[in-house]
Amino acid sequence: MTLDLNLRVVRTNTEVSGPSVLFIHGFASSGELNWERSRWLKYFTDSGRNVLLVDLPGHGEDPRRNEGSWAPSQIRQALAATVMDLDEGPVDVIGYSLGSRLAWEFAAFNPDLVEHLVMGGPGAGDPLAAFEIEQAKAHLATGEPINDDYTATIMKIASAEPSNDLSALFELIEAIKSEPYDPAAKVPSAPTLLVAGDQDDLATTMPRLRRLLKDAGTTNEVLWLAGRNHANAVTSREFKEKALEFLKG
C-alpha cells in the first residue's frame, strides 16, 4: 500500500520568484508547529515562494490517516510522488531535525526533483536511534519512570503538544529504527546549506555531513547560530534570511 502524506499547498500572494519550497518538519511537530507558528510560511510566501507543507506519518491533525509503511524509504517515495503529482518541477527542500534526515535522503535519491537543500539541526546519526521505546511505552501505560535521560527528554517534548498522539509517534519511531540512517550511503548532489545552533547537542556531528558533501563534490555552506539550541534555532530570523538567500543562489 502506497503511503499517502498529509499535504497543504500555500500559494504566494505576490509574483512567483522561484521554485516551490517543500518543508519537512521535525519529530513531534507538524507543518503548522514547525513552520507556520515560527513564521517560515509567511516569510517565504511574502518573498514570492509557493510553499508545500507536509505532515509526516503520526503527526498533524489526523496522525493515523497515513496508510502504508512509515519507513524512511517509503516516506521519501511518498514525498517524490507528491512533488511529481503536483507537477511542481524541481523544488527547494528545507528540513529540520528528523526532517533534515529525511530531506538528505529525499534529495540524494531524487536529484532531479531537488534544486537546493537546507538542513536545520542536522546530525550524521539518526536523532531517534537512541530512543528507548519500550521504556517510553511502559511509562505511557503504567507511569513507570523512564531511566534513560535522552528518552525522557524526547518524551517531554512530545508530551508538551496536546495534539500529539504518542502511540502513533511510537509507531513512527519503530518504522524509522527499521532503516538505520547512513548518510554516507548516498549523498545529495543539490547545493546544500547546513544550519544549527552552536548550543545544539544534537548537531555536534554536522561537520561529518559537510565532509561527505565536500568529498562528493556537492556545493555546500554552513551557518552556526550563536546562542541557539535545538529547540529554538528554527525560530531564528537569521536562519530564515540565510535560507532564502541560499535558495536564490
Side-chain angles (χ1 to χ4, degrees), residues 161-221:
E161 175 54 46
S163 64
N164 280 339
D165 181 334
L166 294 181
S167 61
L169 296 182
F170 293 161
E171 290 180 28
L172 178 63
I173 292 173
E174 289 177 325
I176 288 172
K177 283 175 173 284
S178 73
E179 294 181 357
Y181 182 37
D182 180 11
K186 203 167 184 65
V187 178
S189 57
T192 301
L193 171 65
L194 304 171
V195 181
D198 63 3
Q199 305 299 312
D200 186 346
D201 293 338
L202 297 182
T204 56
T205 56
M206 189 170 78
R208 297 183 197 170
L209 296 178
R210 190 176 200 193
R211 194 174 311 120
L212 290 173
L213 293 166
K214 285 185 174 181
D215 290 346
T218 299
T219 301
N220 64 88
E221 295 183 29

Side-chain angles (χ1 to χ4, degrees), residues 7-14 21-23 30-55 94 234 240 244:
L7 172 72
R8 182 154 59 100
V9 180
V10 184
R11 303 290 181 184
T12 180
N13 290 322
T14 61
V21 184
L22 171 65
F23 285 94
S30 66
E32 178 188 355
L33 295 177
N34 216 153
W35 306 116
E36 189 163 11
R37 291 190 191 178
S38 57
R39 301 185 67 79
W40 280 82
L41 190 156
K42 178 173 172 42
Y43 187 77
F44 273 75
T45 55
D46 284 354
S47 300
R49 294 300 185 98
N50 293 328
V51 167
L52 311 178
L53 288 179
V54 297
D55 285 329
I94 301 179
V234 73
K240 298 181 184 74
L244 185 60

Side-chain angles (χ1 to χ4, degrees), residues 101-119:
R101 174 249 165 102
L102 297 172
W104 175 282
E105 293 175 319
F106 175 66
F109 281 90
N110 300 279
D112 294 340
L113 297 180
V114 180
E115 289 276 3
H116 297 86
L117 173 62
V118 177
M119 299 174 62

Side-chain angles (χ1 to χ4, degrees), residues 115-138:
E115 289 276 3
H116 297 86
L117 173 62
V118 177
M119 299 174 62
D126 187 337
L128 295 173
F131 187 84
E132 296 291 344
I133 196 164
E134 294 306 322
Q135 284 193 39
K137 285 182 175 179

